[in-house]
Amino acid sequence: MLDIRSLSKKFGSGAGAFHALKSIDITIEEGEFFTLLGPSGCGKTTLLRMIAGFEQPSGGQLVLDGKDIATIPPNHRPVNTVFQSYALFPHMTVAQNVAFGLEARGTNPAEVAPRVDEILEIVQMAHLRDRKSSQMSGGQQQRVALARALAPRPRILLLDEPLSALDLKLRKQMQFELKRLQGELGLTFIFVTHDQDEALTMSDRIAVMEGGTLQQVASPRSLYDHPANRFVAEFIGEANFLPGTIVDGKLFLAGSPPVPLLREKKSRGAVAVMIRPEQVVVGATSEKAITLDGRVESLVFSGTDTHVSLRLQNGTTLSLRSPNTSHAGTALADGQALQVSLPIDALHVLPEETADAA
Amino acid sequence: MPHDAPASENALIREETRRRWSLALPALTVITLLSIVPLAVMVAYSFMQAGQYAGVEPGFSLDGWQAVFFERDFFDDSLIPATAHLTILGRSIALALATTALTFVFGIPTAWFIATRPPSSRGFWMFLITVPFWTNLLVRTIAIQEVIRADGTLNRVLLATGIIDEPLQMMFTNGAVLVGMAYVYLPLMVLPVYAAIEKFDFRLSEAAYDLYASRLYCLRRVVLPLMWPGIVAGSILVFIPALGAYVTPRLMGGGRAMMWGNLIDLQFGQGRNWPLGAALSITLTLVVLGALIWYARRTAKKDHANG
Ligand SMILES: Nc1ncnc2c1ncn2[C@@H]1O[C@H](COP(=O)(O)OP(=O)(O)OP(=O)(O)O)[C@@H](O)[C@H]1O
Ligand SMILES: [Mg+2]
């Protein structure tokens, strides 16, 4: 178990100092596929490098199995990294690369070769074991980098955007294989990406970061269904925001009569109400819902459904999906008047101040 | 080239080939004029007869080459092996090796220091390293003499600070020769090694640390092997001219221990034996060539063994 406690990192000092990480608290469980997700420059690599030992924290603790490892140098931490650039040793063969960590650690030479064979088998690179690492495709280098980091049996494997250099097809395949491998080995993975799809499909839990701060830590499902704020809602998937007010547990939205909310009992004043496009229902629904009128502004066909952009009477735009179930009569037209329902259960109330900030 | 390539493509390839040759022509001309022609002249001279007052006279003769390997016995005029030449060659090789080793010891940290400065200040440091190149070799050597002479700068400083009571005799020792040589040839080691370090991807050493390597282990397994070509280039660049050096050994050593270069110098000067001088020069060239071929063969074999 890795406990990250109020960890912060400042680059430089004095007036030019830059706060790359501001008091991060995360607990990563044994055997978890944990993902750090966030836009470029939010501090994902910095956090990962601190766990690896390449950066010293400016404050806070890094507790692995009850021991603060913050001051232990990288070559004494039971943590290995798959680098974004792979960083394979170009003068060594695949097998020599994979053996490096074992040899550097002083593993009994009789045990090195079997371990190298075993791990090359796992990543399906055994047939290229004597190839120079500079003479391989990106996908192959990726596998070797993975094998090299796994060979010394680390407690935690760190992966910094390991798939970003691969083409889409290979990337999907490697996502699948990484996930399978992680499950089979039961090893803790800390995975960095700025690709939300990748994060959603692979992770047990995701930490969403922005500007050096932690926004939310949750499972993919609950990040999507219950984003903590507007940034998370927008970063993971698509979202509609409608301005509203809550008074005595009732939601007031422009253009509709007030409706009582199930989860909100108090008055909260101005809020932003979030709803995912696919949860907006065209026409009426039997659920408890808010109905709104608007006019179709644009239609974009995308195979299984059509992306509809609706201009509401109060001026805001609402995105929704209209399934292409091939009933000739349900086809929508540009400029057409349309009534939609927002099921109460699908509405998420976010504090207005984050909406202002965004 | 495929057989069924269209005629126009063939013409294009011919045109391209001609263009490349014409582009390479100036370089080829310079190489021919500056290295092949003088070498040919030396080879020719080594097989001619010595002129009475220096120079050569037309006519084939093996006297020059004979004198490289044999000398006339003082008493009965019989041919005996020229062991003195072997001693001198051995001394020159030893000096060149020692010079290479010394420039290595000082050159690697220097190159490392420069290569790890911020890019903006690297130019300045490289400039400092190359400044001595702009100065005449003789002047540089005399400058070193000035430092280590009995009443030179170093002795005066040591005397003034009370570290020594009387001046150290440093001039005209083997140490003096070595220091002078290392000073003269240091830049030739620093430049290629610097180029190798600058190209080095420091993410590789980071990966090595991540994989439990100590600093020393990383240096041995990752840094040195990748810098090796630069180190070899630097060593060759120092070793070869050091082997034929004669100004520095003469000035710093006081002419006490003769080097191969001095031997050649002697034949073209006081000795007035140009064929022998030419043959001695060619011999040195062959020794260097042999060493390079041996090295190239060895590395080729090692690479092959590695797969
Ligand atoms: N050594 C450093 N000195 C100064 N600032 C740094 C240093 N390393 C990183 N930073 C800054 O810290 C911030 C976070 O950088 P980091 O590399 O962690 O971002 P990231 O989330 O990994 O981004 P990306 O997705 O682009 O890789 C950036 O603004 C970066 O400029
Ligand atoms: Mg990064």
Side-chain angles (χ1 to χ4, degrees):
Chain A
M1 194 186 76
L2 180 70
D3 217 355
I4 300 168
R5 296 183 192 154
S6 346
L7 202 66
S8 65
K9 178 69 189 178
K10 229 196 290 185
F11 287 113
S13 56
F18 177 75
H19 245 108
L21 289 176
K22 298 162 195 159
S23 191
I24 302 285
D25 280 286
I26 309 175
T27 299
I28 296 167
E29 301 296 339
E30 197 71 50
E32 193 171 27
F33 198 117
F34 193 89
T35 297
L36 302 175
L37 175 67
S40 188
C42 70
K44 308 178 295 285
T45 297
T46 305
L47 181 54
L48 207 70
R49 286 173 60 80
M50 273 207 280
I51 299 171
F54 296 125
E55 304 283 359
Q56 287 294 308
S58 310
Q61 288 168 301
L62 209 54
V63 182
L64 179 64
D65 301 329
K67 211 171 80 184
D68 189 354
I69 59 165
T71 54
I72 297 178
N75 56 347
H76 291 289
R77 291 192 193 191
V79 168
N80 289 151
T81 309
V82 177
F83 294 89
Q84 180 169 5
S85 59
Y86 310 139
L88 295 177
F89 304 124
H91 58 299
M92 296 184 194
T93 63
V94 167
Q96 286 167 340
N97 263 283
V98 176
F100 188 92
L102 297 164
E103 288 168 353
R105 205 185 218 186
T107 309
N108 181 354
E111 290 166 22
V112 172
R115 176 67 180 158
V116 170
D117 289 340
E118 179 193 3
I119 211 82
L120 283 178
E121 208 61 62
I122 291 178
V123 299
Q124 297 158 24
M125 286 295 290
H127 59 295
L128 292 179
R129 54 169 298 139
D130 294 322
R131 187 78 74 82
K132 274 268 163 64
S133 60
S134 46
Q135 305 162 342
M136 289 187 305
S137 73
Q140 291 167 336
Q141 292 189 28
Q142 166 68 63
R143 284 163 197 270
V144 177
L146 187 63
R148 186 179 68 175
L150 285 173
R153 304 180 202 274
R155 283 278 289 104
I156 299 178
L157 190 73
L158 309 177
L159 306 100
D160 192 355
E161 308 207 23
L163 309 180
S164 61
L166 305 180
D167 64 56
L168 190 66
K169 192 159 166 255
L170 198 56
R171 196 174 168 142
K172 292 278 175 223
Q173 184 192 340
M174 282 306 290
Q175 283 178 5
F176 175 78
E177 282 188 36
L178 265 185
K179 180 70 185 157
R180 180 182 57 85
L181 191 68
Q182 189 265 340
E184 283 174 8
L185 297 172
L187 183 63
T188 310
F189 274 36
I190 303 181
F191 184 89
V192 164
T193 182
H194 58 243
D195 178 339
Q196 49 125 341
D197 286 329
E198 194 164 280
L200 290 177
T201 51
M202 299 177 78
S203 320
D204 293 324
R205 278 194 308 154
I206 300 172
V208 181
M209 295 170 65
E210 156 67 355
T213 58
L214 204 56
Q215 300 294 316
Q216 190 174 5
V217 182
S219 70
R221 181 91 227 186
S222 77
L223 272 187
Y224 190 80
D225 288 345
H226 307 289
N229 56 41
R230 186 164 179 153
F231 176 81
V232 175
E234 274 184 322
F235 198 73
I236 310 251
E238 226 184 301
N240 293 302
F241 297 95
L242 301 169
T245 321
I246 295 180
V247 178
D248 290 336
K250 286 201 185 68
L251 173 66
F252 293 80
L253 275 187
S256 96
V259 279
L261 290 172
L262 304 172
R263 286 188 288 268
E264 300 284 338
K265 292 288 170 244
K266 303 184 299 272
S267 299
R268 285 182 52 178
V271 294
V273 175
M274 191 279 280
I275 185 165
R276 301 283 182 197
E278 69 274 14
Q279 289 171 324
V280 177
V281 180
V282 178
T285 170
S286 55
E287 291 176 78
K288 271 185 73 169
I290 299 173
T291 47
L292 294 170
D293 291 307
R295 205 163 272 284
V296 174
E297 206 170 48
S298 76
L299 294 166
V300 178
F301 176 76
S302 84
T304 53
D305 50 21
T306 300
H307 294 200
V308 184
S309 184
L310 198 69
R311 171 77 67 183
L312 297 178
Q313 273 170 351
N314 63 21
T316 49
T317 12
L318 191 76
S319 302
L320 57 124
R321 306 273 181 269
S322 161
N324 293 328
T325 40
S326 84
H327 301 298
T330 61
L332 295 171
D334 254 343
Q336 174 193 338
L338 192 68
Q339 190 181 57
V340 293
S341 308
L342 315 182
I344 300 285
D345 275 347
L347 296 180
H348 297 281
V349 177
L350 302 171
E352 180 66 294
E353 73 248 9
T354 56
D356 283 344
Chain B
M1 200 167 65
H3 285 293
D4 56 359
S8 64
E9 195 176 312
N10 275 334
L12 222 81
I13 290 169
R14 258 202 308 277
E15 173 62 26
E16 175 66 18
T17 315
R18 200 167 50 225
R19 214 172 58 88
R20 286 197 190 166
W21 272 105
S22 59
L23 281 179
L25 207 61
L28 286 176
T29 313
V30 170
I31 290 172
T32 311
L33 284 181
L34 294 187
S35 77
I36 311 258
V37 169
L39 202 65
V41 168
M42 289 300 258
V43 171
Y45 276 19
S46 73
F47 288 107
M48 287 172 149
Q49 289 164 5
Q52 206 164 3
Y53 309 102
V56 285
E57 278 173 7
F60 179 80
S61 162
L62 281 175
D63 285 352
W65 281 101
Q66 192 190 55
V68 173
F69 300 102
F70 301 102
E71 56 194 351
R72 295 270 169 207
D73 188 284
F74 191 72
F75 298 106
D76 60 8
D77 231 24
S78 62
L79 284 176
I80 55 169
T83 48
H85 287 178
L86 210 60
T87 314
I88 294 174
L89 184 62
R91 192 186 293 138
S92 279
I93 290 177
L95 178 67
L97 283 177
T99 304
T100 310
L102 206 63
T103 52
F104 178 84
V105 167
F106 287 102
I108 302 271
T110 309
W112 187 275
F113 173 83
I114 299 174
T116 50
R117 287 316 94 191
S120 53
S121 63
R122 280 180 211 163
F124 168 72
W125 291 104
M126 285 315 289
F127 168 76
L128 284 190
I129 286 290
T130 48
V131 161
F133 271 150
W134 305 6
T135 324
N136 183 284
L137 173 62
L138 215 57
V139 176
R140 273 185 281 164
T141 310
I142 291 170
I144 276 272
Q145 278 189 342
E146 169 57 33
V147 174
I148 66 172
R149 255 183 12 222
D151 57 347
T153 319
L154 188 59
N155 268 325
R156 258 182 285 163
V157 169
L158 290 177
L159 283 171
T161 52
I163 295 172
I164 51 171
D165 296 329
E166 47 188 88
L168 292 174
Q169 175 56 42
M170 288 177 286
M171 261 329 277
F172 309 136
T173 60
N174 287 339
V177 176
L178 199 54
V179 166
M181 295 282 284
Y183 169 65
V184 169
Y185 293 113
L186 187 65
L188 295 177
M189 178 65 87
V190 171
L191 291 172
V193 172
Y194 163 79
I197 298 175
E198 204 194 20
K199 265 197 315 211
F200 182 75
D201 181 357
F202 281 91
R203 286 176 298 189
L204 293 180
S205 54
E206 209 161 69
Y209 292 139
D210 187 62
L211 291 160
Y212 312 105
S214 62
R215 274 170 190 281
L216 203 66
Y217 193 83
C218 170
L219 193 70
R220 191 163 66 76
R221 292 277 321 263
V222 180
V223 181
L224 275 184
L226 288 172
M227 277 168 44
W228 197 242
I231 293 174
V232 168
S235 301
I236 290 175
L237 282 183
V238 171
F239 182 78
I240 292 176
L243 204 54
Y246 71 101
V247 171
T248 312
R250 169 87 148 274
L251 292 181
M252 302 300 290
R256 281 202 241 169
M258 187 178 270
M259 298 295 157
W260 197 262
N262 305 124
L263 190 62
I264 296 172
D265 177 35
L266 193 67
Q267 305 314 322
F268 282 102
Q270 295 161 311
R272 291 184 200 158
N273 191 347
W274 283 28
L276 175 56
L280 288 169
S281 301
I282 303 292
T283 307
L284 190 65
T285 308
L286 290 177
V287 167
V288 169
L289 208 63
L292 286 181
I293 289 173
W294 171 78
Y295 177 79
R297 282 258 177 89
R298 216 188 54 138
T299 43
K301 223 178 278 171
K302 221 169 71 185
D303 268 3
H304 196 71
N306 283 348

